[in-house]
Amino acid sequence: MPFPKPTRRSWAEPWKIKMVEPIRLTTRAERLERIREAGYNTFLLRSEDVYIDLLTDSGTNAMSDRQWAGLMLGDEAYAGSRNFYHLWENINHYYGYKYIVPTHQGRAAEHILSKALIHEGDIIPGNMYFTTTRLHQELAGGTFVDVIIDEAHDPRNEHPFKGNVDLQKLQRVIDEAGPGKIPYVCLAGTVNMAGGQPQSMANLRAVRELCNRYSIPIVLDATRAVENAYFIQQREPGYESKKVAKILEEYCSYTDTSTMSAKKDALVNIGGWLATNDEGLYQEARNLVVVYEGLHTYGGLAGRDMEAMARGIVESVDDDHIRTRVGQVEYLGRHLIDWEIPIVRPIGGHAVFLDARAFYPQIPQTQYPAQALAANLYVDSGVRSMERGIVSAGRDPKSHEERKPSLELVRLTIPRRVYTQAHMDVVAESVLEVYAERAQARGLKMTYEPKYLRFFQARFDLADAATGAKVA
Ligand SMILES: *Cc1c(COP(=O)(O)O)cnc(C)c1O
């Protein structure tokens, strides 16, 4: 008998596992208790009580043996560490920027950038807000204005580049505010809050042309720019045979400056940077970093952290790495789509986003449906996820009203190189179970609200707690 021809050829991760970290499955009764103690906020759970942790892809990466070996080569000199120069070289080589200021993580770079460039009353247009980015813009006296395409706000729209800027919206903001009031246009690729959606090269080029007409610089939030480059390779005509590293280089070349959370794409547990081609901004940032982070050759990091980052950058742009990274997210998302569970489409680069509005139409947005869904998923299986809806959006700094984003999502964020396909199956099956029980779900009320970035530490109780109803 002839050997059957395979009907599919699977890909697998370009690594094998050398060290393992035990995790523990708790009982449903324990998890109910833990989530109550945590005020129904998954950020307030202890990680020991979590089975599969999809809270975030930030700093949760598994480093390679080469990165761990690099830790031993840490040069902990206060000034001029050789790891700093290695990091500089690699950022310059792969991202293309001339000047580099290391920071302990992304928001530290955003802080320094906002302080250096934003004046009271300024307007900063961007392709959808990010929590820490917008807060630093506001604290510096600026106002963020969303200029992303309308499709990005519709979880069912299949547009391949939902991170794109709507050029007419941007033109309108420039006309209304005047170019003098716009210190820079702030772009992210991929766009986290839209569901990890990419921006196309053509769109960035068009934004560049428009900005050139008014001499407005472009600042890139490069946190997931490698994942963005991968989507360009997969979806944009003309890029299918280019290496991700080359696409990344071209993408960054249309921008003047970048802030980076290396805890994401760059495969480390801590680190970030501000990189720029603008010498004036570099001088200012280099000065400010001394005030807030540390000397400009370490920026709040140990030498070994900078070495791990320098090595992580190289691994992050490898085509096999990025294909399996995004491919794992796709694997989880495909299961949910096949089971007709409402998620943001197309599937994003770093996470699968559950559409909490479609899960729980009975819960009004003011009772935090996504927050409730994240709590219910934890109770079902010990899978930890994150709210990305009205709680994350916070309040308008002037009116103090709750902002009501059109996207009310729960993010299942996949750490890089950490979990296996079997873990993804467990997650998918738990989501299916919670979806099957959706009719019984109830809303929440906020019982404690922090002033800044409330989603991290807010506490909740069941909206109808007085009547003794239980969650899910
Ligand atoms: C995580 C993140 C940041 C902030 O970076 P931290 O390292 O968490 O301070 C900024 N922008 C985006 C898009 C992010 O995902």
Side-chain angles (χ1 to χ4, degrees):
M1 216 174 71
F3 192 76
K5 249 186 143 45
T7 52
R8 57 173 277 187
R9 301 301 299 265
S10 297
W11 49 262
E13 287 79 3
W15 39 260
K16 55 185 176 173
I17 297 167
K18 174 141 45 185
M19 188 185 286
V20 297
E21 178 182 345
I23 50 176
R24 186 174 65 97
L25 184 55
T26 48
T27 65
R28 186 183 178 92
E30 282 173 322
R31 293 191 294 272
L32 254 177
E33 193 55 36
R34 296 292 96 82
I35 197 72
R36 267 192 216 117
E37 287 165 1
Y40 298 92
N41 186 346
T42 51
F43 276 102
L44 301 178
L45 291 166
R46 289 177 183 230
S47 82
E48 288 195 323
D49 297 323
V50 172
Y51 181 42
I52 299 175
D53 203 347
L54 307 187
L55 182 72
T56 174
D57 62 331
S58 180
T60 53
N61 301 305
M63 293 207 297
S64 68
D65 52 359
R66 277 134 239 228
Q67 286 176 290
W68 279 99
L71 295 187
M72 292 306 291
L73 301 176
D75 171 6
E76 307 306 340
Y78 188 92
S81 158
R82 77 168 163 260
N83 310 119
F84 164 72
Y85 293 104
H86 188 199
L87 175 64
W88 181 305
E89 244 167 58
N90 285 2
I91 296 172
N92 176 261
H93 182 77
Y94 290 101
Y95 288 81
Y97 303 99
K98 264 207 217 122
Y99 307 106
I100 282 97
V101 175
T103 59
H104 81 279
Q105 61 184 83
R107 73 197 69 182
E110 293 170 346
H111 176 209
I112 289 167
L113 173 83
S114 302
K115 267 210 145 42
L117 294 186
I118 298 174
H119 297 95
E120 190 63 42
D122 279 354
I123 303 289
I124 304 96
N127 55 350
M128 202 173 269
Y129 86 99
F130 184 72
T131 53
T132 57
T133 318
R134 180 173 65 188
L135 180 59
H136 279 298
Q137 292 164 355
E138 290 172 353
L139 290 172
T143 303
F144 167 83
V145 179
D146 189 7
V147 293
I148 203 166
I149 56 173
D150 286 339
E151 286 87 339
H153 294 281
D154 174 4
R156 269 169 291 263
N157 192 295
E158 293 272 6
H159 194 293
F161 290 105
K162 283 165 99 173
N164 279 357
V165 170
D166 182 327
L167 291 154
Q168 285 175 347
K169 283 188 197 172
L170 178 56
Q171 181 72 59
R172 222 174 301 134
V173 175
I174 297 172
D175 292 343
E176 279 165 20
K181 279 278 165 208
I182 302 176
Y184 58 92
V185 170
C186 183
L187 297 181
T190 61
V191 180
N192 194 348
M193 302 304 280
Q197 304 292 331
Q199 180 192 25
S200 72
M201 196 73 87
N203 183 253
L204 176 56
R205 237 184 267 122
V207 173
R208 178 80 258 178
E209 271 172 37
L210 179 58
C211 286
N212 280 352
R213 249 176 273 152
Y214 300 96
S215 302
I216 300 173
I218 298 177
V219 174
L220 174 68
D221 181 339
T223 296
R224 296 186 187 79
V226 180
E227 288 168 11
N228 198 95
Y230 174 72
F231 281 119
I232 289 174
Q233 185 195 55
Q234 295 300 305
R235 296 180 185 170
E236 194 161 351
Y239 288 93
E240 47 285 270
S241 55
K242 291 212 164 95
K243 292 268 186 212
V244 164
K246 280 287 158 211
I247 299 171
L248 175 71
E249 191 184 342
E250 181 186 343
Y251 188 72
C252 294
S253 74
Y254 301 123
T255 70
D256 303 279
T257 296
S258 75
T259 56
M260 176 73 180
S261 172
K263 301 172 71 174
K264 283 50 170 263
D265 265 356
L267 296 166
V268 286
N269 304 121
I270 194 74
W273 70 71
L274 193 158
T276 185
N277 295 325
D278 174 344
E279 196 183 346
L281 172 62
Y282 168 61
Q283 293 301 346
E284 179 69 9
R286 197 168 108 112
N287 200 199
L288 285 171
V289 80
V290 184
V291 182
Y292 296 107
E293 295 283 293
L295 193 70
H296 62 278
T297 62
Y298 75 85
L301 295 163
R304 55 179 172 269
D305 297 330
M306 292 189 285
E307 187 58 33
M309 215 190 323
R311 293 171 180 223
I313 290 168
V314 181
E315 294 178 12
S316 76
V317 299
D318 175 73
D319 284 75
D320 287 336
H321 158 73
I322 194 69
R323 180 162 60 104
T324 54
R325 187 285 183 280
V326 177
Q328 189 176 40
V329 179
E330 170 91 18
Y331 175 84
L332 174 61
R334 277 256 68 90
H335 272 54
L336 302 184
I337 288 175
D338 289 347
W339 297 338
E340 291 175 23
I341 292 171
I343 66 169
V344 174
R345 319 268 292 252
I347 299 162
H350 66 300
V352 171
F353 291 73
L354 306 178
D355 182 358
R357 277 179 198 276
F359 258 74
Y360 296 157
Q362 75 274 25
I363 303 179
Q365 195 173 22
T366 49
Q367 289 187 8
Y368 314 113
Q371 191 77 30
L373 177 53
N376 291 340
L377 184 64
Y378 171 73
V379 172
D380 181 73
S381 59
V383 170
R384 171 154 72 171
S385 58
M386 182 197 293
E387 194 265 10
R388 277 302 185 217
I390 185 170
V391 181
S392 294
R395 291 180 185 274
D396 183 277
K398 294 198 182 81
S399 71
H400 296 285
E401 293 290 315
E402 280 190 313
R403 291 160 161 146
K404 300 204 173 71
S406 44
L407 296 177
E408 181 70 22
L409 309 174
V410 166
R411 192 179 77 181
L412 303 166
T413 339
I414 316 299
R416 295 168 189 77
R417 308 193 291 204
V418 171
Y419 291 114
T420 65
Q421 194 159 318
H423 289 112
M424 295 301 111
D425 291 339
V426 169
V427 173
E429 288 158 23
S430 176
V431 172
L432 183 62
E433 179 68 27
V434 172
Y435 189 59
E437 292 171 351
R438 63 194 181 278
Q440 289 105 56
R442 291 174 171 77
L444 300 170
K445 59 185 175 195
M446 205 180 288
T447 56
Y448 165 68
E449 181 175 0
K451 189 165 163 207
Y452 299 118
L453 303 173
R454 64 182 188 171
F455 58 96
F456 283 128
Q457 293 153 339
R459 298 187 67 85
F460 302 83
D461 201 348
L462 298 170
D464 51 5
T467 67
K470 69 176 184 63
V471 71

